Amino acid sequence: MAAAWEFHLPLSPADLLRNGGPGRYVVQEVLPARELPPALTAFRTAFRARGALAVLQHFDPLYSLLHHFQAVGTDVKEDALELMMRVVSHHSNELPAILGDSGLSHADRTAHLNALKMNCYLLTGLVDAFEMETCKSGLLENKKNRTKTSGSLWEEEREPLLRLLTQLLQLDLHKLWGGSMVEEEFVSLMTGSCYRILENSSIGLQKYRATREAVTHLLAAALVHYDHMFSATLKITQMLQHFEHVAPVFAQAVSLWATEYGLKSLVGELLREIGQKCLQDLTRDASGIKGYATFITELAEQIPALVLSNMSVLLRHLDGESYMMRNAVLVAMAEVLVQVLNGDQLEEAARGTRDQFLNMLQAHVCDINGFVRSRVLQLFTRIVQCKALPLTQFQSVVSLAVGRLRDKSVVVAKNAIQLLAAFLSNNPFSSKLSCTDLAEPLKKEVQKLQEMRDRDRSTAVAPVITPEEEWEAMLPEVRAATQQLFQPQQEGEEEVLEVEETVESTSEQITRLLRKLNYKSAARLTQKALCRFQGKEPFSGPMEENEEAAILGVLKRLYTGSCPGENSEDAPHGNSSLKTKEVVLEEQSQTELVKQEMLVQYLQDAYNFSVKITEALSLISKMMYENCVSVVQEAIEFFVTVSQFGVPQALVGVRRMLPLIWSREPGIKEAVLNAYRRLYLSPSGDSERARAQGLVRSLSLIMVDASLGTIQCLEEIISEFVQKDEIKPAVIQLLWERFTEKSQCSSLERRAAVMLLGMMARGKPEIIGSNLDVLVTVGLSEKVCEDYRLAQEVCNAISKLAGNPKPALGNNNTPFRLPQNHMLFGCLSKTVSKGFDQPSGHWIPFMEAAVMLIYQLAEGAEEICAHILQVCSQQALEKLREADGQKADPGVSPSRVSGGASSLPTFLLTHLVSLVGQVALQQVAHLEVSVSAELRRRRILREEEKTKKRSDSSMRQKRLQSTGNETTMEEELGLVGATADDTEAELIRNICEKELLDGKHLFSAFVPLVLKICNNPGLYSDSVLSAAAALSLGKLCMISSDFCDSHLRLLFTMMEKSTLPGVRSNLIIAAGDLAIRFPNLVEPWTSHLYARLRDPCPSVRQTAGLVMTHLILKDMVKVKGQVSEMAALLIDPEEAIMGVAQNFFSELSNKGNAIYNLLPDIISRLSDPNCGIEEESFHIIMRHLFSYITKDKQTESLVEKLCQRFRTARLFPCISAKKSVCSTEKLGSPLQSCLLIQTCPCSVCMGCSVLTLCLGFCFLIQGLVSLHTWSFALFCLQDVYALLVVPVTEYIVQDPSCESGISFCFLGFGAIFVASFPLLPKL
């Protein structure tokens, strides 16, 4: 039977059911599913008897099992799989002996060949069936029980089965096919199962690693032994196109095949196949692109050298539209640069390839796609970190990275920051990159190089002429003299020269004659010597036929010394030694020059690198306030890196990141904390004391010239560190030592120590509380007058004990207060009173801090401050008495000061009005906050006590009362609480309105003094006094609404007309506070606040901008068209004021559609010629404001609003000889607004109106085009043509009498046409 037929592997299982011709095996019967178990048992019995050949009689039942695989039970499937694995394993073990039998008959060979193909067909069929079932079970989550059991068994058997097939393929199966090639169908059958397994999306998981390795080795056997390369190339490329998950698997497999099996040509075939893919087809096939890109990337990481040899076939994809393929090729280049083309020992060709790849990478830093730009920057980051970037490329790549900081893509800017940080961390120049530190040595070395070059140039001016060069110069004259020897001798010419006895003396004689330029005598003597000393040096040279040439040769040898005599060796040797020394010196000089040039180039590169980093600092510092969290984090990390390299400008960025501690994003806040933790909490030092000194020194450096906002931010950071116990006790101990002067330090360092202690006390108040007596006795001692700023910082530090003046809801603990007789308040009163009559510019800030501290911590603070006021006013009265020549009367009222104020020193008046204003303000704050909170706390405690007493009553009574009156009681409790709050607020308000400024209170005695100074700026012209009086007036207005209402006119008049910027600034701040306390009173004066935004003084404009920002964002001022004054600050020449305006609109954009609603009013006001905004400035403002309009619907609605405003726009007056003035009435219809038909019959006026509107629309369209808001611009252009061009054209056609205005109309139409050029492609 084995010889009667042959088993042909079918293309599909159904082919075995059809008769394919004589001699081909055909399945006779497909058994039903219920008959398969006994048939399987029969096959098992036959296998025991005949071995693997049993399949020749039992193929049909197993084929039937594959046919009914879905309907067959799991047990039958598993039995069949186990049986077929045993059969194939048995056959695989038998085949080596069978194949080695030389006497194997043709029939037996055919039988074993058929059995092998049948068994393999059945086994691979089961593999495919189980794999398909596993994939389906992964998709259908509902079917878990039986499928899961079958799938789990298959996963266990999959790896042993693959190893079995690998073992089979490693046999020399060619003999079964008669020594010829194994048929391709059989190889495809064996490898097809591998590809089927790889199609499973879960094959990439770590738990299937052994399976992947088994598949790899099986395919390797097919590639090595059965010429499977062509089929594998096609299959791999197809699978990469359709299955994304196989790319890493195939990359690892190909790497293994190339390195362990020597199949390097397969890499070239695969890359060539991918490189030849159509670029347009790849653009349409996203999944295929991703698979190819991943494969190239993974392959380049594992075998970069082989990828390099085939890189040329992939370069065409750099010009394709697929950014993923461009990224993959660029990644491959980067891997080659890092792993292959790295180092200084590269050959010339490799160096050229490296530079070519680097140039390609640099070119794609400016790729049109943001993902490519971002990826290239990442690749350069890796190249720099691996130190694979040549020094010659440093500057160009750094410049590209700095340029990408301005990229519109956030991801690109983020990666540019990372690249610059990598450059800093891996720079080959220096650990300190300060431009100032590098400029000086660079200048010094450049000067040294110039001197060396000048020295070499001066040496080269007089070069040494060699004897050979001298001989060539004198040869024509020597030849002429020699030729005269062979001419007839003239009469009178005698032979006076005779040859010496020896050769040496004759040679010396000839040489002397040559040096004396006596060429003829030298030649004649040489002629005689040739005859006499023939055969002796230097006259033993070859005798030429020409005697003249012989003489010239001897003369040359004698002159140049190339052939010296025996006794003349020393002189030529000395000459040679001299020449050697000169050569050595020249070589040394050249070597030193080259070294100096290299040093200068190194310093120049370092300086240029430092300049670029400094340039990047200003850009990155602005990026710290971007909306993207990751960009902000990278910017913070960059400044930490820059600070570690000693760049001085880094301190600006370190300070600039401080306000980010208040960010609502936890990631940003944590990044700031980590930055300061790395910069300051890990100082270098051998001991804990040294590290503490380094930490204190660094923190003190930040506070030098720091603003109040910077100090507050630093306080928040330090308090966080203290709460987490990250600041060591040694640091706190050192700060106390500096404050108490136990450790030697300057006054600035002492003051900084107190400030740092105060910051730490915010996190742990016991730091100050446990040493309060030390602070008072040392900080407020007799020497306080020498340094009021130290005393001020002491007060600020002690104030941290007060805590939050507004306790949290439910917190009814008694607030921390000190008794009225505490030594702290006695020292403060004494110090304030003592310094009152002493001129000092720092007394007022100290006084304000002292008064604030008294109100925060003292019981009966108003009594202490009243005493201070009385003592100070008494001192003023004494000064006044001394000025009047009278004795002081203790019973005189303080109001007496007002009458003679002009006689007092200016500084004393300044101190007095400042003290009055500060006490008044703190008194109001004390009543509104502390007293109100204390009243509420006591009321709540009383209510809680009453509730507790009620709970002690019997439950029965409580139940009876609550059944009928439960709701009523709850309502009453709520009503009682609300009423109590209102009562307490009314009590505080009555005290402020009726008591604080009446005749009985101390404040009333000083109000006339403040008003007198404010009303008489000519009499009290001192700027400091005027500013203090103005601020005190504002503080007094905070007390009472009646007092405020009666003096608002004075306040705003001073704000507008005062010539002193300090007065205007103080009054703006006061007006802002009044707008919050008494908004209804200040609301009519809002326009005066907006007017200060155009103040000529920059400090006043900045103050006004800050105040208006707070008022508008807190909704305390109605936002009207006057907000255009804030928009005008966007073009302010002062950068700080511009930043205030940008911050305002940034915060305003977060409040819904606020900017969108205000834009029409802003455009109308700023476009008014009387506003004074130039065209370019208007462009800048609009560009910034339009950046907040991001919705298309808003842009269309905004165009409609602007077009509606054109209808009511006032037109320019008519320029005409007949009519000097034209109507400026508001018009009705759009056509009338264009033509002025019913208001003015003048055609010139009509033309001017049309031209004016056309130019206005041109201006609008150009602005929209410059902002790239294309849809907005197109919508506007359509309205222009519909509402203006078409109606006017129809009107001109109907009424030819308006000829004089036609030119103006068409001039305007031409302007619109030119302005719309950029929009034509968009149409």
Side-chain angles (χ1 to χ4, degrees):
M1 179 179 179
W5 52 265
E6 183 180 357
F7 183 80
H8 289 267
L9 294 172
L11 296 177
S12 65
D15 293 345
L16 290 175
L17 299 177
R18 295 188 291 269
N19 188 0
R24 302 190 65 169
Y25 182 82
V26 179
V27 174
Q28 301 298 323
E29 179 184 6
V30 178
L31 300 179
R34 64 177 179 275
E35 298 180 9
L36 291 178
L40 202 60
T41 303
F43 176 58
R44 183 178 291 106
T45 304
F47 168 66
R48 291 172 185 161
R50 295 192 57 193
L53 296 178
V55 73
L56 299 176
Q57 286 80 29
H58 295 272
F59 180 81
D60 291 1
L62 293 169
Y63 177 85
S64 303
L65 175 66
L66 294 177
H67 187 78
H68 298 294
F69 191 82
Q70 298 296 331
V72 178
T74 304
D75 296 338
V76 178
K77 298 176 186 177
E78 293 175 355
D79 290 345
L81 177 63
E82 182 182 359
L83 179 58
M84 288 309 305
M85 288 182 65
R86 290 174 55 194
V87 171
V88 174
S89 177
H90 180 77
H91 203 186
S92 176
N93 294 331
E94 288 183 343
L95 278 176
I98 296 172
L99 296 174
D101 186 4
S102 58
L104 183 67
S105 64
H106 178 73
D108 291 341
R109 183 181 62 80
T110 304
H112 281 287
L113 178 60
N114 289 333
L116 177 65
K117 291 195 287 187
M118 284 182 168
N119 288 328
C120 290
Y121 175 79
L122 293 173
L123 184 59
T124 55
L126 288 172
V127 171
D128 293 345
F130 273 107
E131 199 62 38
M132 290 181 64
E133 189 177 52
T134 303
C135 292
K136 289 182 180 179
S137 66
L139 296 175
L140 302 175
E141 297 179 355
N142 296 331
K143 300 180 180 180
K144 293 183 180 179
N145 297 329
R146 295 176 59 121
T147 306
K148 184 175 181 180
T149 304
S150 174
S152 61
L153 176 68
W154 165 240
E155 291 178 359
E156 295 174 0
E157 296 293 338
R158 186 161 48 189
E159 183 189 348
L161 189 149
L162 290 170
R163 288 202 301 267
L164 174 62
L165 295 179
T166 304
Q167 179 185 350
L168 182 63
L169 286 180
Q170 288 174 346
L171 301 176
D172 188 10
L173 299 178
H174 298 81
K175 295 181 180 180
L176 286 179
W177 274 267
S180 61
M181 292 183 59
V182 177
E183 59 183 279
E184 187 177 349
E185 289 80 3
F186 179 78
V187 180
S188 299
L189 176 71
M190 302 294 282
T191 57
S193 299
C194 298
Y195 298 127
R196 172 71 70 180
I197 291 172
L198 293 179
E199 289 178 4
N200 191 340
S201 59
S202 62
I203 195 65
L205 299 178
Q206 180 64 26
K207 64 179 181 178
Y208 297 130
R209 179 180 178 181
T211 303
R212 294 195 303 271
E213 292 177 353
V215 169
T216 302
H217 291 295
L218 175 57
L219 292 175
L223 288 165
V224 172
H225 301 293
Y226 300 100
D227 196 19
H228 184 57
M229 184 171 295
F230 178 74
S231 300
T233 303
L234 294 179
K235 187 63 179 178
I236 291 174
T237 53
Q238 289 176 1
M239 292 188 68
L240 288 174
Q241 184 175 1
H242 296 96
F243 303 98
E244 296 179 8
H245 68 275
V246 301
V249 179
F250 275 130
Q252 187 175 4
V254 172
S255 174
L256 181 68
W257 297 337
T259 54
E260 295 189 9
Y261 291 93
L263 299 172
K264 297 181 180 180
S265 59
L266 179 62
V267 179
E269 293 295 331
L270 287 171
L271 294 180
R272 191 175 296 108
E273 191 70 24
I274 296 174
Q276 292 174 354
K277 293 291 181 181
C278 180
L279 301 180
Q280 288 74 18
D281 293 342
L282 285 178
T283 305
R284 294 189 292 268
D285 185 11
S287 62
I289 292 176
K290 191 171 183 180
Y292 292 145
T294 306
F295 177 75
I296 294 172
T297 302
E298 296 276 347
L299 198 64
E301 292 177 357
Q302 299 179 32
I303 46 174
L306 294 178
V307 173
L308 171 61
S309 60
N310 297 277
M311 183 65 73
S312 58
V313 299
L314 298 174
L315 295 180
R316 60 190 298 265
H317 287 293
L318 291 177
D319 299 326
E321 295 183 7
S322 172
Y323 76 89
M324 285 190 287
M325 287 300 293
R326 295 204 299 275
N327 274 344
V329 177
L330 294 171
V331 169
M333 288 182 181
E335 291 298 329
V336 169
L337 289 170
V338 170
Q339 301 187 44
V340 182
L341 302 177
N342 188 4
D344 299 330
Q345 308 300 324
L346 295 177
E347 297 179 357
E348 191 65 29
R351 194 176 292 110
T353 304
R354 178 197 65 187
D355 295 341
Q356 182 182 3
F357 285 178
L358 287 172
N359 291 336
M360 289 182 181
L361 285 170
Q362 291 183 41
H364 284 276
V365 171
C366 300
D367 194 280
I368 191 174
N369 189 282
F371 292 107
V372 179
R373 299 196 299 273
S374 173
R375 188 61 172 152
V376 174
L377 291 172
Q378 292 175 359
L379 296 176
F380 269 120
T381 301
R382 182 163 186 267
I383 291 172
V384 172
Q385 290 173 344
C386 296
K387 303 187 185 304
L389 185 67
L391 190 59
T392 56
Q393 301 274 358
F394 249 65
Q395 195 65 21
S396 59
V397 179
V398 171
S399 299
L400 288 172
V402 173
R404 287 302 96 198
L405 293 175
R406 301 182 179 91
D407 200 289
K408 61 182 180 181
S409 173
V410 173
V411 182
V412 177
K414 171 187 171 182
N415 285 288
I417 298 175
Q418 290 178 344
L419 176 56
L420 290 172
F423 268 116
L424 273 172
S425 302
N426 299 275
N427 82 86
F429 303 115
S430 173
S431 60
K432 299 298 180 182
L433 292 173
S434 170
C435 292
T436 306
D437 296 340
L438 291 172
E440 186 63 29
L442 175 61
K443 182 179 179 181
K444 180 180 178 182
E445 296 301 331
V446 168
Q447 184 177 0
K448 182 178 178 181
L449 175 62
Q450 188 63 37
E451 292 175 356
M452 293 176 67
R453 286 176 175 171
D454 293 342
R455 193 184 312 120
D456 289 350
R457 193 178 297 113
S458 62
T459 305
V461 170
V464 178
I465 301 176
T466 62
E468 287 80 2
E469 293 175 342
E470 291 182 359
W471 173 259
E472 294 296 330
M474 57 193 285
L475 181 60
E477 296 182 10
V478 175
R479 183 178 286 114
T482 305
Q483 290 174 357
Q484 292 180 6
L485 297 178
F486 304 101
Q487 296 178 3
Q489 189 174 7
Q490 298 179 3
E491 296 180 359
E493 192 173 355
E494 298 180 357
E495 291 286 343
V496 294
L497 293 177
E498 294 294 335
V499 180
E500 298 288 340
E501 294 295 331
T502 62
V503 173
E504 291 79 5
S505 58
T506 304
S507 300
E508 292 177 1
Q509 186 180 7
I510 295 172
T511 304
R512 284 196 298 270
L513 291 173
L514 287 174
R515 296 195 180 281
K516 293 179 180 180
L517 305 182
N518 193 351
Y519 303 139
K520 186 175 181 179
S521 298
R524 182 174 289 113
L525 189 58
T526 302
Q527 185 181 28
K528 294 179 179 181
L530 282 172
C531 297
R532 181 171 180 176
F533 303 112
Q534 189 173 4
K536 295 182 180 181
E537 289 293 342
F539 307 105
S540 62
M543 293 297 295
E544 292 89 348
E545 297 179 359
N546 188 357
E547 188 178 359
E548 177 185 350
I551 295 173
L552 290 176
V554 173
L555 290 174
K556 179 178 181 181
R557 288 196 296 272
L558 289 173
Y559 188 79
T560 59
S562 59
C563 188
E566 293 178 1
N567 297 328
S568 61
E569 292 181 359
D570 293 341
H573 182 270
N575 190 17
S576 175
S577 176
L578 181 61
K579 292 180 181 178
T580 304
K581 291 180 179 179
E582 291 177 354
V583 171
V584 170
L585 291 175
E586 184 176 358
E587 290 178 353
Q588 290 179 352
S589 176
Q590 290 297 324
T591 303
E592 292 177 359
L593 183 62
V594 171
K595 289 181 179 180
Q596 187 66 21
E597 289 176 345
M598 293 175 63
L599 176 60
V600 169
Q601 185 62 45
Y602 173 82
L603 291 174
Q604 186 66 53
D605 291 340
Y607 179 78
N608 293 337
F609 179 72
S610 178
V611 169
K612 280 296 179 183
I613 292 298
T614 305
E615 178 185 348
L617 288 177
S618 60
L619 297 174
I620 297 177
S621 64
K622 298 176 182 177
M623 298 171 65
M624 282 197 290
Y625 291 89
E626 293 283 345
N627 294 326
C628 182
V629 176
S630 60
V631 172
V632 176
Q633 291 173 332
E634 289 298 334
I636 293 172
E637 180 67 23
F638 177 78
F639 273 103
V640 173
T641 305
V642 173
S643 299
Q644 293 172 346
F645 280 88
V647 180
Q649 292 80 0
L651 185 60
V652 178
V654 172
R655 283 186 177 181
R656 188 176 175 84
M657 74 173 71
L658 276 171
L660 294 174
I661 192 64
W662 310 106
S663 174
R664 299 176 182 175
E665 293 289 341
I668 295 178
K669 183 176 180 179
E670 189 62 30
V672 175
L673 289 174
N674 287 334
Y676 275 82
R677 187 177 289 114
R678 290 170 55 189
L679 288 173
Y680 299 106
L681 293 190
S682 301
S684 59
D686 298 332
S687 62
E688 188 173 356
R689 176 79 175 183
R691 289 191 291 271
Q693 289 175 343
L695 173 60
V696 172
R697 190 183 308 110
S698 301
L699 292 177
S700 301
L701 184 62
I702 297 182
M703 293 187 291
V704 175
D705 298 330
S707 63
L708 179 60
T710 300
I711 293 175
Q712 289 176 344
C713 298
L714 187 61
E715 179 179 336
E716 177 70 16
I717 292 175
I718 292 179
S719 65
E720 289 277 348
F721 291 157
V722 171
Q723 290 173 4
K724 297 177 181 178
D725 294 327
E726 296 185 42
I727 293 183
K728 304 298 181 183
V731 177
I732 301 175
Q733 180 65 28
L734 178 61
L735 292 174
W736 281 114
E737 291 178 5
R738 286 194 172 193
F739 170 66
T740 57
E741 295 184 306
K742 293 181 179 179
S743 176
Q744 190 68 26
C745 62
S746 64
S747 58
L748 287 176
E749 292 174 337
R750 190 181 180 200
R751 196 180 312 137
V754 179
M755 295 173 66
L756 289 172
L757 286 171
M759 294 175 183
M760 295 176 184
R762 184 180 170 192
K764 288 185 178 180
E766 57 269 20
I767 294 176
I768 293 295
S770 60
N771 294 279
L772 180 59
D773 294 342
V774 177
L775 274 174
V776 174
T777 54
V778 177
L780 302 176
S781 63
E782 296 292 335
K783 298 180 180 180
V784 69
C785 297
E786 299 176 3
D787 192 355
Y788 280 115
R789 286 181 291 181
L790 177 63
Q792 178 187 352
E793 297 303 334
V794 169
C795 293
N796 292 334
I798 298 175
S799 66
K800 300 301 187 295
L801 296 174
N804 188 4
K806 292 185 178 181
L809 189 64
N811 183 11
N812 297 322
N813 297 328
T814 304
F816 178 78
R817 290 276 174 177
L818 295 175
Q820 187 173 346
N821 58 355
H822 193 275
M823 61 179 297
L824 169 64
F825 308 121
C827 290
L828 288 175
S829 299
K830 183 179 179 181
T831 305
V832 171
S833 303
K834 184 178 179 181
F836 176 76
D837 59 351
Q838 302 295 327
S840 174
H842 303 293
W843 181 87
I844 293 178
F846 160 68
M847 176 271 298
E848 292 175 346
V851 171
M852 184 182 297
L853 179 61
I854 291 171
Y855 274 99
Q856 286 177 338
L857 293 181
E859 294 282 357
E862 59 276 1
E863 297 179 9
I864 299 175
C865 290
H867 173 70
I868 294 174
L869 265 178
Q870 289 176 350
V871 172
C872 293
S873 61
Q874 191 65 34
Q875 294 181 19
L877 286 172
E878 291 176 0
K879 291 288 184 181
L880 184 60
R881 290 288 187 182
E882 292 176 3
D884 295 342
Q886 301 176 6
K887 294 183 179 180
D889 186 0
V892 178
S893 171
S895 60
R896 170 72 179 83
V897 178
S898 302
S902 58
S903 303
L904 290 174
T906 302
F907 80 89
L908 201 64
L909 282 176
T910 304
H911 287 182
L912 183 59
V913 296
S914 298
L915 178 61
V916 171
Q918 180 67 5
V919 173
L921 181 64
Q922 293 302 320
Q923 181 66 36
V924 173
H926 178 66
L927 291 172
E928 294 282 351
V929 180
S930 300
V931 174
S932 178
E934 181 62 16
L935 291 175
R936 184 175 181 278
R937 186 186 70 83
R938 293 181 181 182
R939 174 173 53 81
I940 292 175
L941 289 176
R942 289 195 300 269
E943 292 177 357
E944 290 178 352
E945 187 177 355
K946 290 180 182 179
T947 304
K948 185 177 181 180
K949 289 181 179 179
R950 290 196 193 98
S951 64
D952 295 337
S953 61
S954 64
M955 294 298 297
R956 183 177 179 181
Q957 289 179 350
K958 184 177 180 181
R959 191 177 298 111
L960 291 174
Q961 291 175 0
S962 61
T963 53
N965 300 324
E966 183 176 358
T967 305
T968 306
M969 184 169 53
E970 292 297 325
E971 291 177 353
E972 286 179 355
L973 285 174
L975 182 60
V976 168
T979 304
D981 286 339
D982 292 341
T983 303
E984 293 165 0
E986 186 64 26
L987 174 63
I988 300 298
R989 188 161 40 249
N990 286 334
I991 294 174
C992 294
E993 293 286 345
K994 299 179 180 179
E995 296 183 15
L996 292 184
L997 290 177
D998 66 358
K1000 300 179 182 179
H1001 202 279
L1002 189 61
F1003 289 142
S1004 61
F1006 300 99
V1007 171
L1009 173 63
V1010 175
L1011 293 177
K1012 183 177 181 181
I1013 297 174
C1014 292
N1015 282 313
N1016 298 277
L1019 181 61
Y1020 303 96
S1021 59
D1022 184 77
S1023 60
V1024 179
L1025 174 61
S1026 300
L1031 189 59
S1032 296
L1033 175 62
K1035 292 178 178 179
L1036 290 171
C1037 289
M1038 293 286 290
I1039 298 176
S1040 167
S1041 59
D1042 293 336
F1043 184 84
C1044 176
D1045 190 21
S1046 60
H1047 295 90
L1048 270 181
R1049 183 175 298 278
L1050 171 62
L1051 190 145
F1052 281 100
T1053 301
M1054 293 173 61
M1055 183 192 302
E1056 183 176 355
K1057 296 185 177 181
S1058 176
T1059 59
L1060 302 174
V1063 173
R1064 300 199 298 273
S1065 294
N1066 284 349
L1067 290 176
I1068 290 171
I1069 297 172
D1073 293 336
L1074 291 174
I1076 296 176
R1077 183 161 174 79
F1078 306 120
N1080 294 331
L1081 296 179
V1082 179
E1083 196 273 334
W1085 303 90
T1086 305
S1087 58
H1088 294 268
L1089 286 174
Y1090 278 110
R1092 290 304 94 209
L1093 294 172
R1094 288 182 176 267
D1095 196 278
C1097 179
S1099 62
V1100 178
R1101 290 200 305 274
Q1102 184 174 358
T1103 304
L1106 290 170
V1107 170
M1108 295 307 300
T1109 296
H1110 286 290
L1111 293 179
I1112 294 173
L1113 294 180
K1114 290 182 179 180
D1115 297 324
M1116 301 309 299
V1117 170
K1118 293 182 180 179
V1119 184
K1120 300 178 181 179
Q1122 292 170 332
V1123 78
S1124 60
E1125 303 295 340
M1126 287 293 293
L1129 296 183
L1130 290 170
I1131 57 170
D1132 197 278
E1134 296 292 332
E1135 186 176 354
I1137 301 176
M1138 191 188 310
V1140 170
Q1142 291 173 351
N1143 181 63
F1144 166 74
F1145 284 106
S1146 176
E1147 294 295 330
L1148 190 63
S1149 65
N1150 298 327
K1151 302 184 69 173
N1153 299 326
I1155 294 182
Y1156 161 75
N1157 295 329
L1158 292 171
L1159 258 178
D1161 288 332
I1162 294 175
I1163 294 175
S1164 297
R1165 285 179 175 267
L1166 294 182
S1167 60
D1168 189 348
N1170 297 326
C1171 185
I1173 300 295
E1174 298 180 356
E1175 180 178 349
E1176 183 62 29
S1177 301
F1178 185 83
H1179 273 293
I1180 296 173
I1181 296 173
M1182 290 299 107
R1183 188 177 296 112
H1184 184 86
L1185 295 181
F1186 275 121
S1187 65
Y1188 299 107
I1189 307 298
T1190 57
K1191 300 177 182 178
D1192 292 339
K1193 191 173 182 180
Q1194 287 183 342
T1195 58
E1196 295 176 1
S1197 178
L1198 197 56
V1199 171
E1200 293 180 0
K1201 290 183 178 181
L1202 293 176
C1203 291
Q1204 291 173 1
R1205 297 208 173 207
F1206 273 122
R1207 300 180 181 181
T1208 58
R1210 291 180 177 270
L1211 304 175
F1212 290 113
C1214 174
I1215 304 174
S1216 174
K1218 298 181 180 178
K1219 296 183 178 181
S1220 59
V1221 179
C1222 190
S1223 174
T1224 56
E1225 297 178 0
K1226 293 183 179 180
L1227 305 178
S1229 66
L1231 184 59
Q1232 290 173 353
S1233 67
C1234 295
L1235 304 181
L1236 291 173
I1237 294 174
Q1238 297 185 4
T1239 58
C1240 180
C1242 173
S1243 61
V1244 176
C1245 186
M1246 178 270 294
C1248 290
S1249 304
V1250 173
L1251 178 60
T1252 300
L1253 288 176
C1254 288
L1255 293 178
F1257 274 113
C1258 289
F1259 177 67
L1260 179 60
I1261 291 172
Q1262 288 177 348
L1264 296 174
V1265 169
S1266 65
L1267 297 173
H1268 300 287
T1269 51
W1270 302 109
S1271 59
F1272 201 171
L1274 289 171
F1275 189 79
C1276 182
L1277 185 62
Q1278 292 172 0
D1279 280 355
V1280 171
Y1281 277 91
L1283 298 177
L1284 187 63
V1285 177
V1286 175
V1288 171
T1289 306
E1290 293 177 352
Y1291 181 80
I1292 292 175
V1293 172
Q1294 295 175 3
D1295 188 6
S1297 62
C1298 57
E1299 296 178 358
S1300 56
I1302 291 178
S1303 59
F1304 291 100
C1305 294
F1306 283 103
L1307 182 61
F1309 295 163
I1312 289 180
F1313 183 71
V1314 172
S1316 62
F1317 271 166
L1319 296 175
L1320 296 180
K1322 302 296 179 181
L1323 291 172

